[in-house]
Amino acid sequence: MEEQELRVRKIRDGTVIDHIPDGRALVVLSILGITGEEEEVVSIAMHVPSTKLGKKDIVKIENRFLKPEEVNKIALIAETATINIIREYRVVEKWKVKPPARFRNLIKCPNARCITNFGREPVEPAFEVIGLSPVKVRCSYCGIIVSGRDLLELVRQ
Ligand code: CTP
Ligand code: ZN
């Protein structure tokens, strides 16, 4: 049991997103559409000491289980994250996120001239992951490469 166990209490049912890179918890909340208007109980811990990461963030959402596209989006900006499914206080499932090799519709292309951003027939954005840690993606249509802060911005939208 790690020291941070004492910082945020255990949950009965829901999802714990652990090992989020330091300071990224708010982007994770934004991916999940959590604004503060909803009913779910949400706990956030930021800058928690971690043996593996030095510092990390943690997000716990009670009674919510994430959709695959939400997990994929988290993987783009928090590649160290682990998803823990909690039922009756027990971790019943745990996995490390992994960006999909290619994906559609998770983020928009930042290139205004890209075919996914204009025209009468909308083309769904599509990207390939061309680098991991840090994640680097390339638009399948215009070839623009996005990583780092720019990727963070796109995921936040
Ligand atoms: N957790 C929780 N509520 C529970 C059970 C676990 O909030 N009822 C949280 C723990 O605080 C931890 C995460 O879920 O942040 C994973 O729990 P566990 O696997 O027990 O912790 P570790 O062994 O430290 O996990 P890891 O090896 O992934 O670091
Ligand atoms: Zn593009």
Side-chain angles (χ1 to χ4, degrees):
M1 193 190 276
E2 290 182 25
E3 191 235 354
Q4 75 272 6
E5 294 280 9
L6 302 172
R7 292 176 200 271
V8 189
R9 73 181 179 122
K10 295 206 168 232
I11 64 173
R12 178 170 183 164
D13 292 288
T15 304
V16 174
I17 308 161
D18 197 357
H19 305 292
I20 299 168
D22 188 40
R24 295 269 165 100
L26 298 178
V27 185
V28 170
L29 294 184
S30 138
I31 289 170
L32 300 178
I34 294 170
T35 62
E37 298 289 313
E38 42 290 299
E39 302 279 300
E40 297 141 329
V41 177
V42 178
S43 315
I44 304 151
M46 296 178 75
H47 316 311
V48 175
S50 152
T51 39
K52 280 180 237 167
L53 299 176
K55 284 183 182 177
K56 68 172 182 180
D57 289 0
I58 309 168
V59 170
K60 302 187 181 189
I61 311 155
E62 298 186 31
N63 300 309
R64 175 159 167 191
F65 302 94
L66 309 185
K67 299 186 189 112
E69 45 295 10
E70 292 171 327
V71 175
N72 282 340
K73 223 165 161 183
I74 290 170
L76 293 180
I77 54 92
E79 63 261 31
T80 51
T82 49
I83 309 288
N84 298 270
I85 306 298
I86 314 296
R87 298 204 192 262
E88 281 297 325
Y89 292 105
R90 291 220 186 89
V91 179
V92 294
E93 238 184 294
K94 178 198 292 277
W95 74 91
K96 192 175 175 304
V97 299
K98 189 172 175 287
R102 50 180 55 81
F103 56 86
R104 285 197 169 269
N105 276 333
L106 290 183
I107 56 174
K108 288 179 63 180
C109 180
N111 173 9
R113 293 161 180 272
C114 181
I115 191 161
T116 60
N117 284 319
F118 69 82
R120 259 170 284 145
E121 299 270 308
V123 178
E124 285 179 346
F127 286 83
E128 287 130 49
V129 173
I130 57 165
L132 297 167
S133 68
V135 174
K136 204 188 259 191
V137 303
R138 182 174 56 210
C139 175
S140 307
Y141 293 100
C142 72
I144 196 171
I145 292 172
V146 194
S147 65
R149 280 196 171 278
D150 296 336
L151 184 57
L152 214 56
E153 266 321 301
L154 289 176
V155 165
R156 209 193 282 269
Q157 285 168 9

